[in-house]
Amino acid sequence: LAKTTQPISMDSYEGQEVNITCSHNNIATNDYITWYQQFPSQGPRFIIQGYKTKVTNEVASLFIPADRKSSTLSLPRVSLSDTAVYYCLVGPARGYQKVTFGTGTKLQVIP
Amino acid sequence: EAGVTQFPSHSVIEKGQTVTLRCDPISGHDNLYWYRRVMGKEIKFLLHFVKESKQDESGMPNNRFLAERTGGTYSTLKVQPAELEDSGVYFCASSQEGGLSYNEQFFGPGTRLTVL
């Protein structure tokens, strides 16, 4: 499974757009990029997944450059309730579905 | 639709005792996973069930841990005897085979285990 590197922590003011970048230099051809969010005292929650270019849903956008060696999770206009740990994961698209978590990025939204 | 539930939410036991954690996956989800986070560490995979069969138990730390999923519904994780280093949060997750999004696992709230 490809190793990922992301910032340990970030602070942001409410209302700002937050971008969290994850490096995955050894990503394999059949790997997908998935982001999970974890609030304190809760289990991780899937938020978005992509393979290339851009993916957008009601929660976030995911930007993946052509070489796929990194990806950026974009959270528009964050609120205090977005304070959480965000995990970037990469893994194959078929078969075994073990999820490997890294250290994650602790996002603190400030009023 | 009910999510993944875990019981208990918190358990405090003494070293040497036995504890059994329970996980009820989302109805219809064949895949069930156990993970744990020990103090200050990353969330680590323990094992993966497909229905009642153990698909992968490579993350189980030692033979003091026993996971079962009789009938392919709920699962239990027994720690016997518990050691101090077993303290942490144990997460259960489930997923549906052939779901729209790969690796969209639905996690429970976790069971916090404290071994004194």
Side-chain angles (χ1 to χ4, degrees):
Chain A
L1 295 170
K3 178 179 170 57
T4 60
T5 303
Q6 49 185 128
I8 294 173
S9 67
M10 298 176 73
D11 288 351
S12 174
Y13 289 107
E14 273 190 294
Q16 290 187 326
E17 177 184 78
V18 170
N19 295 307
I20 305 175
T21 297
C22 177
S23 297
H24 27 79
N25 293 317
N26 297 321
I27 190 169
T29 302
N30 61 346
D31 281 346
Y32 276 63
I33 300 155
T34 310
W35 286 79
Y36 278 77
Q37 173 191 56
Q38 185 180 23
F39 297 116
S41 300
Q42 294 187 25
R45 180 177 76 108
F46 171 97
I47 47 174
I48 200 165
Q49 180 186 77
Y51 183 79
K52 61 180 179 180
T53 62
K54 177 184 175 182
V55 179
T56 297
N57 62 23
E58 65 278 6
V59 176
S61 294
L62 179 59
F63 298 91
I64 306 167
D67 67 5
R68 303 199 330 121
K69 292 184 182 300
S70 66
S71 59
T72 299
L73 175 74
S74 181
L75 306 172
R77 297 181 300 281
V78 294
S79 64
L80 296 177
S81 62
D82 292 317
T83 294
V85 178
Y86 292 83
Y87 296 96
C88 165
L89 308 97
V90 295
R94 288 290 180 265
Y96 186 43
Q97 294 181 302
K98 180 174 78 173
V99 173
T100 300
F101 290 89
T103 54
T105 298
K106 185 174 183 179
L107 172 66
Q108 180 70 50
V109 180
I110 305 165
Chain B
E1 178 183 306
V4 176
T5 58
Q6 294 186 245
F7 181 82
S9 58
H10 191 189
S11 179
V12 182
I13 61 173
E14 293 186 338
K15 176 182 172 181
Q17 290 186 320
T18 298
V19 64
T20 300
L21 313 181
R22 173 171 170 142
C23 168
D24 285 80
I26 292 173
S27 178
H29 282 194
D30 289 337
N31 294 288
L32 186 149
Y33 316 79
W34 284 97
Y35 297 84
R36 76 170 180 176
R37 170 190 275 140
V38 295
M39 186 64 69
K41 303 285 186 171
E42 300 167 7
I43 298 173
K44 295 289 189 184
F45 167 83
L46 295 178
L47 87 160
H48 170 204
F49 283 99
V50 178
K51 296 184 180 178
E52 68 275 11
S53 300
K54 292 176 184 175
Q55 180 76 15
D56 181 353
E57 51 186 328
S58 62
M60 295 288 265
N62 51 61
N63 59 9
R64 294 186 294 104
F65 289 74
L66 174 65
E68 295 180 320
R69 193 184 181 195
T70 305
T73 54
Y74 71 91
S75 174
T76 58
L77 179 65
K78 181 191 289 187
V79 185
Q80 180 183 28
E83 298 289 345
L84 298 178
E85 63 264 27
D86 299 332
S87 294
V89 181
Y90 290 76
F91 294 103
C92 175
S94 71
S95 71
Q96 187 174 32
E97 193 69 29
L100 292 177
S101 297
Y102 169 73
N103 263 347
E104 182 170 1
Q105 295 185 13
F106 297 83
F107 282 77
T111 292
R112 180 174 296 278
L113 175 63
T114 302
V115 182
L116 303 177

